[in-house]
Amino acid sequence: MEKNMEKNMEKHMEKYKDIMVEMPPEKILTEREGVVYPSFKKYTYYSRTAERDTPVNVLLPADYSENKKYPVLYVLHGYYDNEDWMARDIVRISTMLTNLVADGEAHEMIVVCPYIYCSKDMPHCTGMDTQNTLNYDNFIHDMMTDLMPFAEGNFSVAVGRENTAITGFSMGGREALYIGVSHPEKFGYIGAVCAAPGLTEGTGDPWMLTEDQLTFGENSPELLLISAAEHDDVVGANPTKYREIFSQNGEVCLWHFMSRTGHDHSSVTPHLYNYFRMIFR
């Protein structure tokens, strides 16, 4: 029965493979005359996990209406960064997504870019060490307890795993996988680009899960997209290791390899271009 399920998932994933490309076309990254491109707006919510007000950037569709319900995508930043990193113009989220929606290649959605460093005692990352890494991993509690309720309570969000996606870059990629695996009942779409090591035993330290826990059980996502860059001199081949573990555990992973990019926005933009075109479709 498990082999039949895996075959069905592989067949299902073919529709995504057919549209995936290594790099986005330039026309999608360029603003068009006469088109309104929305901007991220900063909000704060109270995190009971960190016991402090926490900033978050939210991008609403240009024609956002309270009379409509929108799926929501959470995009997580990397080590040393904050909620503004993904919201920068150089990442091209607003331009890309608006153009894709206009072309009928993506669904309208709300994009949420939170601050994922979560600690009661340390407001900011102070170094690349065990305690700081655990503070990032602690975001899983803030996500469930306060961030998602904040988004769903303040914006016209369509709830349910079929309307909820998560992805992230570097440490944010590790956290997106961690959250997605830990709460597969909440997320129908899961992604990671240049994911940081250490999520499982065998990929680094500190690790949060054993290799056999890198699975979704009966709640396999509609999409699991892992992107990696050939010129990534920070996490190296670590995304490949995650891909191998998922495969060993019978999970179907869509692999996106970029031969010209590195550990920065140059990899995030292509990852999001593919991800935008696949989620909520």
Side-chain angles (χ1 to χ4, degrees), residues 18-30:
D18 290 343
I19 68 170
M20 188 170 66
V21 297
E22 181 178 343
M23 301 294 291
E26 189 61 33
K27 67 177 184 178
I28 291 296
L29 306 179
T30 305

Side-chain angles (χ1 to χ4, degrees), residues 36-43 56-64 70-75 83 86-89 92-99 101 108-114 150 155-157 272 276:
V36 176
Y37 294 90
S39 299
F40 278 96
K41 182 177 179 180
K42 187 166 292 190
Y43 299 85
V56 57
N57 280 305
V58 179
L59 182 73
L60 302 177
D63 62 349
Y64 174 80
Y70 301 88
V72 60
L73 165 62
Y74 296 91
V75 185
E83 73 283 356
M86 288 292 182
R88 297 177 303 158
D89 289 341
R92 308 287 186 90
I93 287 180
S94 178
T95 302
M96 225 179 358
L97 183 54
T98 301
N99 287 341
V101 170
E108 281 189 314
M109 68 188 76
I110 295 171
V111 181
V112 178
C113 298
F150 166 80
F155 306 101
S156 191
V157 170
L272 288 175
F276 284 150

Side-chain angles (χ1 to χ4, degrees), residues 157-170:
V157 170
V159 298
R161 72 192 297 267
E162 70 276 12
N163 296 306
T164 312
I166 189 169
T167 192
F169 166 66
S170 194

Side-chain angles (χ1 to χ4, degrees), residues 257-272:
F257 184 73
M258 297 164 283
S259 62
R260 294 174 282 166
T261 63
H263 196 84
D264 54 22
H265 70 276
S266 67
S267 290
V268 176
T269 300
H271 169 78
L272 288 175

